[in-house]
Amino acid sequence: MERITVVKIGGNVIDSPEATARFVEAFAALEGPKLLVHGGGKLATRLAAQLGIESRMVDGRRITDRETLDVVTMVYAGLINKRLVAALSAAGCRAIGLSGADGNAVMARRRAPEPIDYGFVGDIESVNHTLLGELLGAGVTPVFCAIMHDGQGTLLNCNADSVASSVALGAARIAPTELVFCFEKSGVLRDPEDETTLIREITAESYAALKAGGIVSKGMIPKVENALKAVANGVRSVTIKHSENLLNDTGTVIR
């Protein structure tokens, strides 16, 4: 394999049928071996409310008690994952939907309850790169949700950005790998309200200044830090871009 591409999408794609259709068409057109990682969007919150289950968030992270774990597993590993797989299959992409438990693909450990008990939330421990290589070598496109497992029979809700970074690191053990984070902006912007202020490239050195100056802040901090960790450990490059620009040479490149 000359190159593997790992793409992560979130709610801005998943919550809009029109955006999903456009993304699927573009993703199916990507050349070479590829993997898709998706988050959960707002569907789990809506379903939990319909079931009378309160959704609790701390710093943007979902508290996942036993009832909530059941809901997010049904939605992330079930409905959203299979909708994407069906759409990709219709677009000519030989896709297969996976959680971390399938084929023992991704292992995680339950996060320590201190200082905040997030419940059944996990942090990635390992990726089965041998399995990834077998699937990609057979022309199959894995589509990962963010439900992982601990190897002891317990499912865990994980951060989809972290899953994407970990899967990309696993893929990098097979072939040079590029990771693409798709979100609602054209990339990292100096002014979040002005798309013309796109920062074309970020390195570890320039990121420190951008963070200190408040240009990279809030939810963009973990996204950029995940990207920097990935490139420091073997991923060739990470690009943050709008999902509409998946096939275009644009966005913020992390090197």
Side-chain angles (χ1 to χ4, degrees):
M1 298 181 198
E2 293 185 3
R3 182 187 69 176
I4 299 170
T5 305
V6 177
V7 179
K8 187 266 174 180
I9 56 172
N12 65 305
V13 173
I14 294 166
D15 294 331
S16 166
E18 295 79 12
T20 299
R22 291 191 297 270
F23 171 81
V24 164
E25 182 179 359
F27 183 81
L30 272 178
E31 296 183 357
K34 55 200 173 191
L35 303 95
L36 179 61
V37 178
H38 65 84
K42 300 175 182 177
L43 186 55
T45 301
R46 292 199 298 269
L47 180 58
Q50 291 171 5
L51 295 172
I53 300 170
E54 180 187 2
S55 292
R56 293 178 293 148
M57 310 288 285
V58 176
D59 296 330
R61 300 290 178 91
R62 187 183 299 272
I63 302 294
T64 307
D65 57 19
R66 176 65 71 179
E67 284 186 320
T68 303
L69 179 66
D70 290 346
V71 171
V72 296
T73 300
M74 287 188 289
V75 172
Y76 300 169
L79 186 57
I80 293 175
N81 189 266
K82 297 315 169 191
R83 279 178 174 172
L84 286 169
V85 169
L88 286 167
S89 297
C93 181
R94 193 179 172 206
I96 184 170
L98 297 172
S99 71
D102 295 300
N104 205 27
V106 183
M107 297 281 291
R109 67 179 181 281
R110 185 169 174 174
R111 187 173 298 173
E114 300 295 336
I116 298 170
D117 186 357
Y118 284 96
F120 293 93
V121 166
D123 296 308
I124 308 300
E125 281 198 315
S126 64
V127 174
N128 186 344
H129 72 280
T130 302
L131 175 65
L132 297 186
E134 291 171 348
L135 292 172
L136 294 172
V140 173
T141 295
V143 179
F144 279 99
C145 67
I147 300 297
M148 303 293 114
H149 78 137
D150 65 357
Q152 304 299 314
T154 300
L155 296 172
L156 296 168
N157 184 19
C158 293
N159 177 269
D161 284 351
S162 298
V163 172
S165 294
S166 298
V167 168
L169 287 169
R173 299 181 64 180
I174 305 166
T177 297
E178 296 178 358
L179 172 60
V180 179
F181 285 112
C182 292
F183 83 133
E184 65 271 13
K185 301 289 185 180
S186 58
V188 182
L189 307 176
R190 290 189 178 275
D191 178 354
E193 304 305 318
D194 186 353
E195 292 282 344
T196 67
T197 63
L198 176 69
I199 301 170
R200 293 289 299 180
E201 183 174 284
I202 294 177
T203 64
E205 293 74 20
S206 66
Y207 169 66
L210 291 169
K211 183 179 179 182
I215 295 171
V216 175
S217 61
K218 299 181 181 179
M220 186 56 70
I221 290 175
K223 195 175 293 290
V224 174
E225 290 183 350
N226 265 319
L228 287 167
K229 180 180 178 182
V231 296
N233 287 282
V235 173
R236 186 162 66 179
S237 69
V238 180
T239 304
I240 300 174
K241 61 169 59 178
H242 197 287
S243 58
E244 303 284 351
N245 296 325
L246 181 63
L247 299 179
N248 300 332
D249 184 19
T250 185
T252 300
V253 179
I254 315 292
R255 299 190 191 280

